[in-house]
Amino acid sequence: MKKILKITAFVLLILASTILGVLYFASEPLPAGQQGIKAEALTDKIQEAINQKAWDSTVAVSFSFRGDHHYLWDKKRNLVQVKWDDKKVLYNNQTLEGIAYKNNKKLTDSQKSATIKTANDYFNNDSFWLIAPFKLRDAGTTRSIVMQDDQEALMITYASGGSTPGDSYVWFVDENYMPKAWRMWVSIIPLGGLETSWEDWITFQNNLKIATSHKGLIDLKLENVKTGQSIEEINNGVDPFTDL
């Protein structure tokens, strides 16, 4: 038995070393960028293409992430409802104050706090795949031009904000300055320069444009995306945040 365990441990060690080696040699270093007028001009063109102004004036958003996490977001009031498995959380994403349920039973104390934190972590990650193009000029960001594959691209680095500050993203755009892909240098992924597409764009009534699928090492799908000027407008006339 001891011999079998030693052999198993050795095999696992070899596999781990191989994976780390592949990641090390496949990983790309973060490119050096040039801040300034060109970077700001490209940012302007991207924001115009996706209609940043329409996003800024949008009050309410709903969507599902990979069919697992379901969101209602009141941007104006900083209120979010998150549903997954047997849990439901309604909270303020600025103060992290709110209420949490499991199997429709209200949670209290440490269980409530932990569940709200989990909901907020889900929201920070999942919503980023929906709204990252609208966050090019968030507080704490820097913008720079980088060369990738013999073309200019826009690198955004986040010095603060969200659950994982310090990450960098390089955006590639089409001839109309619509984002078509990005490459990521992020703390939660050991492979630098991983590329994922931005596609299946939906154009809403106010000409707001939102991408609903991403293809790469892992494919991601955003479903049931709705936008409006109130939570009631996109949630069958119901405001779930009256419980807060």
Side-chain angles (χ1 to χ4, degrees), residues 60-64 71-73 130 223-227 234-235:
V61 183
S62 66
F63 67 99
S64 295
Y71 298 93
L72 277 172
W73 177 19
L130 185 83
E223 299 173 314
N224 304 315
V225 181
K226 298 178 183 178
T227 65
I234 63 173
N235 194 45

Side-chain angles (χ1 to χ4, degrees), residues 1-36:
M1 179 61 71
K2 288 183 178 180
K3 185 176 181 180
I4 293 174
L5 290 174
K6 287 181 179 180
I7 293 173
T8 302
F10 179 75
V11 171
L12 291 174
L13 179 62
I14 293 297
L15 286 173
S17 299
T18 301
I19 292 171
L20 289 173
V22 169
L23 291 175
Y24 176 80
F25 287 106
S27 185
E28 298 181 14
L30 182 69
Q34 181 66 49
Q35 299 180 37

